[in-house]
Every structure is written in C-alpha cells, then in structure tokens.
C-alpha cells in the first residue's frame, strides 16, 4: 500500500469497524496526507480519536444510506482513494432485517459509487465477503449486488477511474 497511499487523501467508509480501522491505520502508517473516517457509530469515533493521535485523521459521523450525509464529505474533501467498508456484515442480523441490509449494502454502495463517479475519485475499492460467491443468504446476496454496482462503474468512468472489490473470509478478532 505504501507507494499508492503516500501523499493521498483517503476516505474509509465504515472506518471504525474491524477491517476499516485496519485500513485507516495502514493508510496513516504509509504516509497518506489525510485519512477521513466515515461511519455512524459516535462511540467508535470517540474511541478511535483517543487511540490515534494524528492530525491527518479526520472523523465524520454519518451514514452511507443518507446521500446528503456522505455527499458533504465529497464536497468538503478532494478524495484520491476510497475504501468502502461500511456494511451490514452479520449473517443472522441480515437474515432478520433484510431491508436494512439492502439499504446499507446495496443502496449505500450505490450512493458511494455515484458520488465517486461525480467527484472523479481515482480509485474505489469495495470491501466484500467470500459469502458473495454463490450467495446463499441475504448478506451474501446484498454484497454480490454491491460488487456488481462497484464493478459496473468502470464502464461509466470510461477508464478514467478504477473501481474494484476485494473479498474477505471470516477475519480473526473481528466483530462480524
């Protein structure tokens, strides 16, 4: 990550979560000029600020499901690279609340992709799951669709931007 992130402005949606906070720490270690953390949990924001004392860290409370909420970040910062880690990721909770999963994992991703296209963010990486391969549950199905939304943006950007996805399996010590 070092050469890619040095001197860049990085946005991490879901940046207070297990994977997102790891990305935040790596981006700071690798010389990003600014790292913006966007998520909806104010307690996690507070804890992150206590744990990471770095002037390059900017935390913003908001929800990817709320277009105005995330749009303010794009209007305020000139983002170079975006890691989209905001998600409902607990299989049982997604099964119990499928509409919430759709709103976060699908519509939230669409909001992120639309804004990244509009603001010409050079690289967008959506964090996905191994459960998106041959999905057998709501969470896997939603993340599969989020991957399609992300990857289809490459056609719309006409080669001027890069949209990609990475799939994680179960992550040790994560809260999912």
């Amino acid at each position: 990550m070092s050469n890619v992130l040095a001197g860049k402005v990085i946005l991490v949606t879901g940046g207070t979560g297990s994977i997102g906070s790891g990305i935040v720490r790596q981006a700071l270690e690798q010389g990003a000029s600014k790292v913006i953390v966007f998520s909806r949990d104010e307690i996690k924001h507070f804890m992150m600020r206590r744990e990471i004392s770095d002037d390059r860290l900017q935390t913003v409370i908001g929800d990817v499901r709320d277009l105005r909420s995330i749009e303010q970040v794009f209007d305020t910062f000139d983002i170079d690279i975006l890691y989209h880690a905001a998600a409902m990721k607990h299989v049982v909770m997604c099964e119990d609340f499928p509409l919430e999963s759709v709103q976060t994992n699908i519509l939230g991703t669409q909001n992120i992709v639309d804004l990244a296209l509009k603001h010409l963010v050079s690289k967008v990486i959506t964090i996905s799951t191994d459960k998106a391969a041959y999905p057998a549950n709501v969470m896997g199905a939603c993340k599969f669709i989020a991957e399609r939304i992300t990857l289809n943006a490459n056609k719309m950007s006409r080669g001027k931007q890069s949209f990609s996805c990475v799939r994680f399996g179960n992550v040790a010590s994560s809260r999912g």
Side-chain angles (χ1 to χ4, degrees):
M1 272 206 268
S2 62
N3 294 339
V4 176
L5 303 182
K8 304 290 187 192
V9 175
I10 312 297
L11 170 62
V12 183
T13 68
T16 59
S18 302
I19 293 170
S21 63
I23 293 168
V24 167
R25 285 178 171 78
Q26 285 293 312
L28 290 168
E29 287 176 17
Q30 301 302 323
S33 64
K34 181 172 285 301
V35 178
I36 305 131
V37 174
F38 184 85
S39 74
R40 59 186 181 177
D41 190 327
E42 77 276 7
I43 299 300
K44 290 180 186 175
H45 278 275
F46 176 77
M47 298 304 293
M48 178 174 274
R49 284 182 178 181
R50 286 181 60 179
E51 292 172 17
I52 303 172
S53 178
D54 192 314
D55 292 339
R56 298 172 297 154
L57 179 66
Q58 175 80 40
T59 61
V60 179
I61 297 172
D63 192 333
V64 296
R65 300 165 7 154
D66 178 358
L67 182 61
R68 287 187 188 147
S69 174
I70 186 64
E71 191 169 34
Q72 290 178 359
V73 174
F74 284 84
D75 289 343
T76 302
F77 300 99
D78 188 17
I79 301 161
D80 296 305
I81 301 172
L82 189 161
Y83 290 91
H84 177 45
M88 282 189 62
K89 61 182 181 182
H90 194 280
V91 171
V92 173
M93 298 310 287
C94 290
E95 293 295 312
D96 289 346
F97 301 97
L99 183 56
E100 295 298 318
S101 183
V102 166
Q103 289 177 340
T104 300
N105 296 348
I106 296 174
L107 300 179
T109 299
Q110 187 67 61
N111 286 340
I112 292 298
V113 166
D114 288 346
L115 288 167
L117 284 164
K118 177 182 174 184
H119 290 268
L120 299 174
V121 175
S122 64
K123 292 180 189 270
V124 176
I125 302 98
T126 293
I127 309 302
S128 191
T129 173
D130 59 346
K131 291 162 187 66
Y134 306 105
N137 54 51
V138 171
M139 193 268 281
C142 287
K143 292 301 278 183
F144 175 79
I145 294 168
E147 289 179 0
R148 294 292 103 212
I149 290 167
T150 301
L151 296 174
N152 286 343
N154 284 303
K155 296 173 192 170
M156 297 164 70
S157 75
R158 295 188 174 109
K160 295 179 181 154
Q161 297 163 273
S162 171
F163 291 82
S164 60
C165 302
V166 293
R167 287 182 176 167
F168 284 77
N170 293 335
V171 178
S173 301
S174 73
R175 292 181 294 268

